[in-house]
Amino acid sequence: MRSTPTILHLDMDAFYASAEQAAKPSLRGKAVVVGGLGPRGVVATASYEARRFGVHSAMPTAQARRLAPHAAYLTPRFTLYRDISNQVMGLLRALSPLVEPLSLDEAFVDLEAGGAAWDSASALETARRLRADIRRVTGLSGSVGLAVSKMLAKIGSERAKPDGLLLIEPGTERDLLAPLPVRVLPGVGPATGDHLRRAGITTVEEIAEAGQDELVRLLGKAHGAGLYAMALALDERPVVSEREGKSVSVEDTYDLDIHDRVRVRGEVARLAERCTGRLREAGRSGRTVVLKVRRYDFSTLTRSETLRGPTDDPAVVRESAARLLEGVDTTGGVRLLGVGVSGLADYTQEDLFAQAAGERAAAGKTGREPEAPEGTEAEAVDPVAPAAPEERRWPAGHDVVHAVHGHGWIQGSGVGRVTVRFETPTSAPGRVRTFRTEDPELSLTAPLPLVVESGHGEG
C-alpha cells in the first residue's frame, strides 16, 4: 500500500438538492427534497435543511412529507445533473488519467498517477484548488477526503461534509478508525452489521480485536478476511478508470426484508433506471443484463440475459431485469437487490437502428424488407386515423418558458392548472403565476446553466 495520501475522494454535497437550490433563488436556505413524487416515490436527495427534519435518501417520499410537510418536493432533472457532473469530471480528469466515477456526484482520483500530488502538502494544495474550481465552474460545493487508500479517502470526505476537506495523515489511520461503527467499512450493510452486532462487535476496533479467524467464522472466508484487513486500515484496491470497467451495476441493501412482490418489482425497475444512468454517464452500453437477489436466508441468486446488441436504454434494461425476476422465488423476503449490465461497448442499440435503416434502403432495391433489431417492434400506423393528442405533463421543479414572462420552473400542477415561479439562477426570487395546463404560450424548456462565466452573459 502506498505511503503518501494521494488518493482523493470527491463527494458533491447533497448534489441534486444543491443543484436545485442553486437554480432556484427562492429555495436557497430552505428544505428541498428531490425524488419520486408518486405514491411509491423514494427520496433521491434531501438538502441539509431537510435533513434536520430526519429526511434522508432512500426514504419513501410519503414518509418525508410527514416529517417535512413544508419542504419543496421536486422531480429530478437529470439533464441538468449530468451537465454539472460532466463539468466536475472534466476537472478531475485534468488532474489525473485515473478517475473512477461511482455516480454522477462521486469519484475517486489517483493524484499521484497524474503528477498532481506527491506528498501531503501537494495533495492538500491540489484539493483546495479543485474545490475552488468546482465552485467557480458549477456554483456548487463538494467535500474531499485525502488518504493512502480508497476506503480511507471516502471516510475522509464523509467526515468533511458539508463543504469540507480532510487529509488523513499516514500513521493515524488505526486511531481514526477504531471508534467508528462497523457500517463505515465497505461491504458492511444492514444485514452484516446486524450479524456482527449479535456477536458483540459494533466498532471497527472490535473487528480488529476479534481477529481474522473469528471474522471468517462469522462471515465466510472472503468477506471475513477482507473486513479484517480493512479494520487494520489495509485497502489495496486501485483507482480504476471507468474505461477499464467490465460492467456497471447498482444494488441496495434493505433495513427490513421486502416481502411485497409488487415492491420488489418496483425496486428492480428503479435499480435498472439507476444502472442505465451510470452507463450513459460513462458513455457506454452493454449487452448482458444481470439481476442479483439476496434472500432472507442470505442465499444469493444471480440471473442474466444477453441481448442481441448493446443498449443503454432504460426501458430495455428494465424489461430484461423484470423478466429475470419472474424466475426468482422471493416468497420468504429479500435483503438485497442489484441490477447490472456487462459486456460493455462504446456504441448502443441506436447504432442498430441506423444499421437497420441502411439495410431498408438497400432492401428497397431488392424488394426485401430486413429484420428489425431485436428488442424493437415495427409500429402499425393507420394513415387515416388522426393521432390522439398527448396530455401535457408538468413535472414539479422542471423548467418552462412563457412567451411573455420568460423562464421559470413548475411549482405544481393539478385540476387543469399549472403554477410557475419565474426566476433564473442569477435573478432575485421571482413571482408566482398560475396558467391553464393547455396554455399555448407556456412550454417545457431546457435547464439554464447555474453559472454564467464573465464575458459570456446574455446579450
Side-chain angles (χ1 to χ4, degrees):
M1 193 165 76
R2 70 182 67 207
S3 59
T4 53
T6 52
I7 299 295
L8 180 149
H9 181 260
L10 169 71
D11 196 349
M12 299 295 289
D13 299 321
F15 181 47
Y16 297 173
S18 294
E20 297 298 347
Q21 289 175 317
K24 302 171 170 65
S26 59
L27 296 184
R28 292 170 192 169
K30 297 181 180 178
V32 174
V33 179
V34 180
L37 305 188
R40 301 186 65 83
V42 175
V43 174
T45 308
S47 70
Y48 286 100
E49 294 85 357
R51 294 180 191 187
R52 297 191 189 109
F53 295 96
V55 180
H56 58 77
S57 300
M59 170 182 285
T61 303
Q63 182 182 354
R65 287 188 187 276
R66 290 192 294 270
L67 294 171
H70 302 298
Y73 288 84
L74 310 174
T75 55
R77 294 189 297 161
F78 287 107
T79 299
L80 173 65
Y81 309 149
R82 288 191 186 103
D83 287 346
I84 300 170
S85 178
N86 288 338
Q87 291 176 307
V88 172
M89 296 302 166
L91 293 172
L92 299 182
R93 293 186 184 101
L95 297 176
S96 172
L98 289 184
V99 176
E100 182 178 342
L102 304 180
S103 62
L104 284 174
D105 60 338
E106 186 180 1
F108 288 109
V109 186
D110 187 333
L111 297 177
E112 191 171 23
W118 50 92
D119 58 13
S120 296
S122 58
L124 271 174
E125 179 57 30
T126 297
R128 290 188 184 112
R129 281 201 315 271
L130 171 66
R131 293 180 66 242
D133 287 343
I134 289 172
R135 188 174 289 279
R136 172 179 55 80
V137 171
T138 70
L140 304 180
S141 67
S143 295
V144 169
L146 292 164
V148 299
S149 70
K150 289 167 70 172
M151 176 188 73
L152 291 164
K154 184 172 175 63
I155 290 172
S157 68
E158 285 295 323
R159 293 174 67 85
K161 281 182 169 293
D163 193 18
L165 166 61
L166 177 64
L167 181 143
I168 301 175
E169 287 283 8
T172 68
E173 299 95 345
R174 291 284 299 275
D175 290 338
L176 173 74
L177 288 174
L180 299 181
V182 294
R183 289 287 301 276
V184 78
L185 298 179
V188 182
T192 300
D194 287 345
H195 202 51
L196 292 171
R197 180 180 52 78
R198 288 194 293 271
I201 299 172
T202 60
T203 67
V204 176
E205 183 176 30
E206 288 167 347
I207 290 178
E209 290 172 348
Q212 181 168 314
D213 291 344
E214 177 64 9
L215 267 293
V216 168
R217 185 187 70 79
L218 288 171
L219 304 174
K221 186 173 182 181
H223 196 187
L227 204 57
Y228 178 69
M230 287 187 175
L232 300 181
L234 303 175
D235 177 18
E236 300 289 347
R237 296 173 301 160
V239 175
V240 180
S241 170
E242 78 276 14
R243 284 291 175 187
E244 298 172 17
K246 297 180 180 178
S247 65
V248 172
S249 63
V250 295
E251 61 182 45
D252 276 345
T253 302
Y254 304 99
D255 291 333
L256 297 174
D257 291 357
I258 302 176
H259 294 84
D260 182 357
R261 183 73 174 183
V262 174
R263 187 184 168 197
V264 172
R265 291 193 191 101
E267 290 293 315
V268 168
R270 184 175 61 83
L271 290 165
E273 296 278 353
R274 284 172 51 195
C275 182
T276 50
R278 290 191 180 183
L279 272 178
R280 290 181 170 187
E281 292 159 29
R284 312 300 300 278
S285 62
R287 60 183 300 156
T288 300
V289 178
V290 181
L291 174 72
K292 178 179 176 182
V293 180
R294 180 166 297 147
R295 299 188 291 189
Y296 69 99
D297 58 357
F298 287 93
S299 62
T300 302
L301 304 177
T302 303
R303 301 287 185 269
S304 64
E305 175 180 89
T306 299
L307 309 172
R308 184 172 177 181
T311 185
D312 65 356
D313 186 335
V316 173
V317 176
R318 188 173 59 245
E319 290 164 9
S320 176
R323 285 193 297 271
L324 295 170
L325 179 63
E326 291 307 308
V328 177
D329 180 11
T330 61
T331 306
V334 170
R335 290 177 171 270
L336 175 147
L337 290 168
V339 174
V341 176
S342 60
L344 300 189
D346 291 320
Y347 60 97
T348 69
Q349 188 77 22
E350 292 168 3
D351 296 313
L352 299 181
F353 283 100
Q355 177 185 339
E359 289 173 356
R360 274 193 199 92
K365 300 175 182 178
T366 63
R368 180 178 56 84
E369 179 69 16
E371 294 182 6
E374 187 173 315
T376 69
E377 295 182 5
E379 285 190 25
V381 180
D382 184 346
V384 178
E390 284 192 18
E391 182 181 351
R392 299 179 77 186
R393 292 181 64 251
W394 303 100
H398 283 231
D399 298 79
V400 293
V401 64
H402 190 273
V404 176
H405 304 292
H407 193 99
W409 59 277
I410 301 164
Q411 282 200 327
S413 63
V415 200
R417 295 287 186 269
V418 55
T419 301
V420 177
R421 184 181 288 273
F422 289 97
E423 60 186 7
T424 69
T426 56
S427 74
R431 182 174 176 179
V432 176
R433 298 178 184 273
T434 299
F435 306 89
R436 292 177 294 110
T437 53
E438 67 273 18
D439 190 322
E441 295 190 314
L442 186 69
S443 60
L444 291 168
T445 190
L448 295 175
L450 301 185
V451 174
V452 178
E453 294 189 24
S454 178
H456 295 80
E458 298 178 4

